[in-house]
Amino acid sequence: ISQQLSEWSEKAGIKFGFSIITNGSLISPELIDKLVTLGLKEIRVTIDGDKEAHDLKRPFKDGSGSFDAIINNIKDVIAKVNIGIAGNFDRESFASISRLLDYLEKEELLYRLSSFRFAPIVPRLGPKNNPRSIELAECSAFIGKEGLFRETISLKKELMRRGLEAHSGLAINACPLFMQDAGVSIDPRGVIYKCNSLLGYPEFSVGDVRQPDYNDNFKSFLSLEAWKKCPLDCPYVPMCQGGCRFFSYVENGNFADMFCKREYFERIIPDLIKLEYEKTKCRAVPAAAKAV
């Protein structure tokens, strides 16, 4: 795919580049050398905590641990391409992220990595014959009154303490479902989705790469205006537009209703703003002053 896209882009005068999110088990120097010539810019490897936590969550098919193999692969290719780390956590595995950072520092990898993205485990849709079968309690625990905001803030502070980039996540965003020109996700069969949480559920797809136009789902998603149901005094509307459409479907059975996250925002936003302020202060300190 990358070779065809690279050749097409060159003929069309379009700059092409790509990154890969991978479990890291198959990366090798030979593969990276080949992909870099086609435009590979970064690999983001998923590691869910230290060896104990990761091997519990992400073993190989035969049940053996994958952590050591992934770390060895990273060491083999880190001089050839930018490598970032992504990780998922829940309350039980949260403490293992700090232990992972300690281990990476001990192995002299921590400050050679290009990025860090750690986030709570996000609920997904249930079986294809009943996509709403996800437990609503799981959804509420992720982004409700008992959300993982304390753990999220703590981890961002931990990254900053170590001198690593910590993204606050503060932004004014529009949900890609109701954006005309937003990015899309394409599955291996060429089916197009406007939200990667909906991948694998053709009833929610917006088209196919073999067809010239989007289908009726695309038009229906563009008409979503859940934010109009929000209270006029809510300052977070520009950030959430009535909440995630995926969570609305899980909780309400449709994509159009409001899924309010105001209480969650009121708990986490002040701390995220403080983090942004601290980052700004650090950038403002002259290099000479830092050395002193």
Side-chain angles (χ1 to χ4, degrees):
I1 292 173
S2 298
Q3 183 166 354
Q4 291 178 347
L5 286 172
S6 179
E7 292 171 355
W8 179 86
S9 299
E10 185 176 0
K11 293 177 182 177
I14 297 172
K15 187 176 181 180
F16 173 71
F18 66 98
S19 61
I20 295 174
I21 299 177
T22 171
N23 63 25
S25 62
L26 296 178
I27 57 177
S28 66
E30 296 76 21
L31 176 62
I32 296 305
D33 287 341
K34 183 176 181 180
L35 293 177
V36 166
T37 64
L38 299 176
L40 177 64
K41 304 300 182 185
E42 183 186 53
I43 292 177
R44 188 180 300 174
V45 180
T46 304
I47 304 181
D48 288 353
D50 64 356
K51 177 178 171 63
E52 180 181 0
H54 177 89
D55 285 347
L56 182 65
K57 296 277 189 181
R58 293 178 175 268
F60 283 122
K61 187 176 181 180
D62 64 5
S64 62
S66 61
F67 183 86
D68 290 338
I70 293 169
I71 294 297
N72 288 333
N73 288 346
I74 290 175
K75 291 179 178 178
D76 286 343
V77 303
I78 196 167
K80 295 176 175 290
V81 66
N82 290 329
I83 296 182
I85 294 296
N88 308 291
F89 63 86
D90 52 24
R91 281 194 178 84
E92 288 70 34
S93 63
F94 166 71
S96 69
I97 301 296
S98 291
R99 295 196 295 269
L100 169 64
L101 297 176
D102 289 337
Y103 174 82
L104 293 172
E105 185 169 8
K106 177 183 175 183
E107 295 295 310
E108 299 183 349
L109 289 172
L110 186 66
Y111 296 101
R112 298 178 67 188
L113 296 167
S114 58
S115 63
F116 299 85
R117 297 286 189 277
F118 297 106
I121 296 174
V122 181
R124 296 295 182 186
L125 292 178
K128 290 181 173 58
N129 61 350
N130 184 14
R132 286 197 68 223
S133 66
I134 184 176
E135 290 288 337
L136 293 182
E138 182 183 357
C139 177
S140 298
F142 171 70
I143 201 157
K145 294 180 179 179
E146 301 302 322
L148 292 164
F149 64 92
R150 293 187 186 89
E151 290 85 349
T152 300
I153 292 295
S154 175
L155 186 51
K156 292 180 185 297
K157 290 180 178 179
E158 174 75 1
L159 291 172
M160 287 182 61
R161 183 185 69 79
R162 295 173 182 261
L164 303 170
E165 182 67 24
H167 296 275
S168 69
L170 287 174
I172 296 176
N173 297 308
C175 172
L177 275 183
F178 49 78
M179 290 178 65
Q180 176 78 34
D181 299 320
V184 298
S185 297
I186 305 172
D187 77 5
R189 296 177 176 83
V191 181
I192 304 172
Y193 298 85
K194 291 281 281 178
C195 172
N196 58 18
S197 293
L198 305 178
L199 279 163
Y201 299 88
E203 63 268 35
F204 302 134
S205 74
V206 296
D208 187 290
V209 295
R210 301 165 186 82
Q211 303 300 323
D213 299 307
Y214 288 118
N215 61 27
D216 290 340
N217 278 345
F218 181 80
K219 300 174 184 177
S220 175
F221 287 145
L222 288 183
S223 66
L224 294 174
E225 295 182 322
W227 60 273
K228 289 187 175 181
K229 301 177 183 179
C230 297
L232 295 177
D233 67 339
C234 180
Y236 306 112
V237 174
M239 297 184 67
C240 77
Q241 310 91 44
C244 172
R245 300 299 85 218
F246 163 72
F247 283 120
S248 175
Y249 177 79
V250 170
E251 184 166 88
N252 305 313
N254 64 71
F255 293 99
D257 285 339
M258 181 176 62
F259 183 82
C260 184
K261 298 190 293 183
R262 183 167 183 169
E263 184 172 350
Y264 177 79
F265 280 144
E266 287 177 343
R267 288 180 146 196
I268 197 170
I269 293 297
D271 283 317
L272 292 179
I273 292 174
K274 291 174 184 177
L275 283 177
E276 284 292 335
Y277 177 70
E278 291 298 325
K279 286 166 59 178
T280 302
K281 283 204 308 180
C282 290
R283 287 194 294 264
V285 176
K290 290 182 180 180
V292 173

